[in-house]
Amino acid sequence: MPTYRAPLTDYTFLIDRFLETHRYRHLPGYAELDSDTRTAILTEAAAFCEDVLLPLNQSGDLEGCRLENGQVRTPRGFPNAYSRFVRGGWPALPFDTADGGHGLPHLMSVPISEMMVSANMSFSGYVDITQAAATTIHAHGSDWQKRVFLPPLVSGRWGGTMNLTEAHAGTDLGLMRTRAEPASDGTYRVTGAKIFITGVDHDLTENIVNLVLARLPGGPPGTKGISLFIVPKFLPAEDGSLGQRNAITVIGVEHKMGVRASATCAVNYENAVGYLVGNPHDGLRAMFTMMNDTRLGVGIQGLGMSEVASQNARAYAAERLQGRAPAGPAALDLPADPIVYHPDVRRMLSVIEAFNQSARALALWTGLQFDIAHHEADAEARQAADDLLALLTPAIKAHFTDCSFENVNLALQCFGGHGYIREWGMEQFVRDCRITQIYEGTNGVQAMDLVGRKLTIAGGRLPARFFALVEQDLTVANDTAAISTLANNLRIALGMLRQLTACVQGLGQSERERIAAGSSDYLRLFGMVALGWTWLKLANIAANEPHDNAFLKQKLALAHFYLTRLVPEARMLAERAVLGDYLPGVTDFLKPTDAVQI
Ligand SMILES: Cc1cc2nc3c(=O)[nH]c(=O)nc-3n(C[C@H](O)[C@H](O)[C@H](O)COP(=O)(O)OP(=O)(O)OC[C@H]3O[C@@H](n4cnc5c(N)ncnc54)[C@H](O)[C@@H]3O)c2cc1C
């Protein structure tokens, strides 16, 4: 059975030294988050993940969810684990105290989410989607909706879902047919068939708050005519207790490749009572709050899967004996060397680890940006953080999940044929991880969002802010001889990204086809520069450490690996992004100039 130990030392290092959170004590929750409090929270969360969630991961996958007499049942052990989770107060951690939360910074959700995914991705899905539903109602709900639905969602007593997808309407929500009719009492009657809805029914919570997109009569066609409704499984009575069962029928639990303990269902709404959230026909804007929240969450899912796969592959590589190291026998007392002595095995493990450690740093950094964007007093600082979050959301969702799927496959590869056999658990990681590239907007759609929208809105302000940050750290790195080669490699990749960005920004609406053709390569290049930037910052900390520190030495070594061995791929990606449509003249930017030497 796979094992897992939460990377607590890394979290502490990243929060203290990489983010320097002591500089943000003016933000809500940060002053209370001293090192002891933080360590206590993370250690307890780690224990819950390692001792309660991990043991249910394989059994949950084998058993799956089932529909019994109209009610979805989760695998054995899930309801009990979920009530322990709620009793421990975990769902409420990041929410405002006014809504029944504990008021912890959003930053703290990042490591907790990662740990939960590593231990049990199916279980974490119920929690993530519930928290995203609460965030959406907090942002767009009426006072009544907030009073009735927020406290039980925040505490985790009720679950939440997002209902967008229909059989004929996946990426293109403009094709959606589910409709809502106004009723005389001010509520609505929602009718339609949704598919692939995570957690629309289960036995973990006493009620489920479905956020459903539907069309009101007389609305414009396409995405402009979509409204958002709360359609709960049980209608809330006046006193907040559970009232009448709503007209929602689960048609079936989807038979899936992975995350089999997560209840993904086809569901019918048949004149179900719904409450309009926000303004008519403005539902997609409200739903974007939920989608952006979950997109960052899916990126962290990728990281969590890559981390657990890495830990198991490293343990296996240290024990599995096959052949002798090319440089000569390494373990003379053994009949063969552990496979970790083979450079190609080390290559695979290093690729995974070079992603995990920088992706974790970047994910935590976005957690900090989230808190700044919501709570910083200075409006310009809030705007800057918001811009960076908007820019990085598609990149984190898609690049993290693309890399993590490659990584779980590499980790399986380290096991040879044993990786392909169920009992080792590696094939489950591959199956579970695969969905992260698909849901919450496929990675191709994320690439279009980044290249087709985020690069050009507000006159290109978003990428300009990001590039300025990277430039700033490149300048700092100039003062440290030990990392100047690393900085140079990143400078070259950044130069290509900047020129490619300018090229995209110069293309007009009539050239959207060309922009789309190179978008996935652009996104990968962008993700690579973003991770390279975090490696440069980490290397800078490590290189300036006055004491002998094995943990930091390893960071410096991995920074070298990433920036010298992996980042050269940037040139290929830049060429591909351009050649995506064979634009005459555009390849000019690849020609060496004084500023950029390729
Ligand atoms: C396990 C699981 C859980 C899910 N949970 C939920 C949930 O809780 N709620 C919910 O509403 N949905 C959920 N989904 C649905 C999921 O979000 C959709 O499957 C996804 O958005 C893609 O839609 P689609 O499957 O219809 O694919 P399509 O939209 O048909 O896409 C097919 C291919 O075409 C590409 N494509 C389509 N349009 C474009 C475009 N404009 N530009 C570039 N490429 C494009 C896509 O990238 C993809 O490669 C879930 C799905 C699964 C499998």
Side-chain angles (χ1 to χ4, degrees), residues 162 164-165 170-171 196-198 256 264 435 438-440 442:
M162 64 191 285
L164 292 79
T165 309
T171 302
F196 298 168
I197 307 304
T198 301
K256 291 181 301 191
T264 308
I435 187 59
I438 298 171
Y439 61 14
E440 304 313 338
T442 60

Side-chain angles (χ1 to χ4, degrees), residues 100-185:
H102 297 318
L104 241 64
H106 181 80
L107 169 70
M108 287 295 282
S109 307
V110 174
I112 295 174
S113 295
E114 187 202 324
M115 289 189 266
M116 287 179 65
V117 172
S118 289
N120 195 321
M121 181 168 152
S122 287
F123 184 95
S124 76
Y126 296 107
V127 177
D128 292 347
I129 203 82
T130 298
Q131 295 193 329
T135 304
T136 307
I137 293 176
H138 175 84
H140 303 283
S142 67
D143 288 346
W144 176 80
Q145 289 165 353
K146 287 182 193 169
R147 199 171 61 248
V148 170
F149 294 105
L150 266 187
L153 279 172
V154 164
S155 71
R157 204 155 46 80
W158 293 1
T161 72
M162 64 191 285
N163 291 240
L164 292 79
T165 309
E166 298 176 9
H168 48 277
T171 302
D172 187 355
L173 293 171
L175 300 174
M176 232 188 55
R177 289 184 200 140
T178 296
R179 60 183 200 281
E181 301 281 345
S184 55
D185 60 358

